[in-house]
């Protein structure tokens, strides 16, 4: 059975860890398909308002948007090539650059829900609680806001062959176990605890 995961990308080392984790997961998850996604950050509300009346500001914002699209295409293209070098068939890879809507995390979740994806994979930056409070954390926001799509948060260089699912009898813990069993399928080299 085909399984599809969204990998949240940007040009950070943390996103590359998430990509490599997902790539390694294809060794233990049969028929895994990848959606490489990058969501653009929001433009300043002040600049957006000023662009309505100032042609120069509007052109500058259009140039920024064009640059963001170009950078997203480069990141997504490079990530596609990494997967292909690992032996992933190009037909199992889709790329998407999302324009800002309600926030990066919410835009990724909305897309994943609309496309009926099985999981979202994101790299963890390891920022402090204070930094997360002021700047926000995409991975934290994904975990907090995703009610239906499981989120895999990858912290550093780890391999997906050993999987620990913490269960306590609550519905969400049982849903996590069900998700792990669905993704892994019959025993195939992964060590599920």
């Amino acid at each position: 059975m085909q399984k599809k995961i969204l990998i949240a990308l940007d040009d950070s080392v943390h996103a590359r860890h998430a990509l490599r984790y997902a790539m390694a997961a294809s060794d233990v998850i049969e028929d895994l398909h990848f959606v490489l996604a990058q969501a653009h950050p929001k433009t300043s509300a002040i600049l957006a308002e000023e662009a309505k009346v100032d042609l120069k500001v509007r052109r500058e914002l259009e140039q920024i948007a064009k640059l963001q699209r170009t950078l997203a295409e480069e990141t997504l293209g490079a990530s596609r090539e990494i997967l292909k070098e690992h032996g992933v068939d190009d037909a199992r890879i889709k790329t998407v650059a999302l324009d800002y809507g309600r926030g990066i995390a919410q835009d990724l979740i909305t897309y994943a829900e609309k496309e009926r994806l099985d999981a979202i994979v994101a790299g963890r930056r390891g920022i402090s609680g204070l930094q997360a409070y002021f700047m926000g954390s995409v991975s934290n926001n994904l975990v907090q806001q995703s009610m239906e799509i499981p989120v895999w948060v990858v912290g550093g260089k780890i391999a997906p062959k050993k999987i620990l699912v913490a269960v306590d009898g609550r519905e969400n813990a049982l849903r996590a176990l069900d998700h792990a069993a669905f993704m892994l399928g019959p025993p195939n080299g992964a060590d599920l605890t």
Side-chain angles (χ1 to χ4, degrees):
M1 172 185 258
Q2 188 180 92
K3 294 155 185 137
K4 294 181 182 178
I5 59 173
L6 180 146
I7 305 167
L9 294 172
D10 58 20
D11 63 349
S12 72
V13 67
H14 312 289
R16 286 190 291 281
H17 287 316
L19 178 67
R20 287 189 189 346
Y21 181 86
M23 208 168 36
S26 70
D27 294 339
V28 294
I29 299 174
E30 195 172 302
D31 200 16
L32 187 59
H33 291 242
F34 304 88
V35 176
L36 307 176
Q38 184 167 356
H40 301 294
K42 182 179 182 180
T43 304
S44 161
I46 295 169
L47 288 176
E49 285 299 314
E50 193 172 329
K52 291 177 182 176
V53 295
D54 188 331
L55 182 60
K56 182 180 176 186
V57 173
R58 186 174 331 133
R59 286 189 179 138
E60 288 175 5
L61 285 180
E62 288 169 357
Q63 287 297 322
I64 290 170
K66 184 178 177 182
L67 177 62
Q68 285 178 328
R69 281 191 297 276
T70 300
L71 293 174
E73 288 170 9
E74 289 173 5
T75 299
L76 295 170
S79 298
R80 177 189 285 272
E81 289 305 313
I82 290 170
L83 288 174
K84 287 169 51 179
E85 288 169 9
H86 182 69
V88 176
D89 183 15
D90 195 51
R92 291 177 30 210
I93 306 168
K94 179 179 179 178
T95 61
V96 61
L98 302 171
D99 290 326
Y100 187 85
R102 299 184 327 189
I104 291 174
Q106 192 57 54
D107 293 343
L108 292 168
I109 292 166
T110 299
Y111 180 84
E113 288 174 347
K114 183 180 118 208
E115 295 296 316
R116 302 181 54 107
L117 302 180
D118 296 303
I120 298 171
V121 182
R124 184 179 144 271
R125 292 193 181 277
I127 60 178
S128 72
L130 190 59
Q131 287 172 314
Y133 177 77
F134 285 109
M135 299 179 347
S137 163
V138 172
S139 58
N140 185 48
N141 289 340
L142 285 168
V143 169
Q144 295 292 324
Q145 297 173 21
S146 182
M147 297 296 134
E148 297 299 322
I149 307 288
V151 177
W152 306 353
V153 180
V154 178
K157 297 178 184 179
I158 55 175
K161 295 204 182 215
K162 290 190 175 190
I163 301 165
L164 172 68
V165 179
V167 292
D168 61 4
R170 293 184 206 168
E171 181 181 347
N172 283 343
L174 297 175
R175 286 177 64 199
L177 183 59
D178 182 59
H179 172 70
F182 166 74
M183 292 302 286
L184 293 172
N188 53 6
D191 183 10
L192 178 62
T193 303

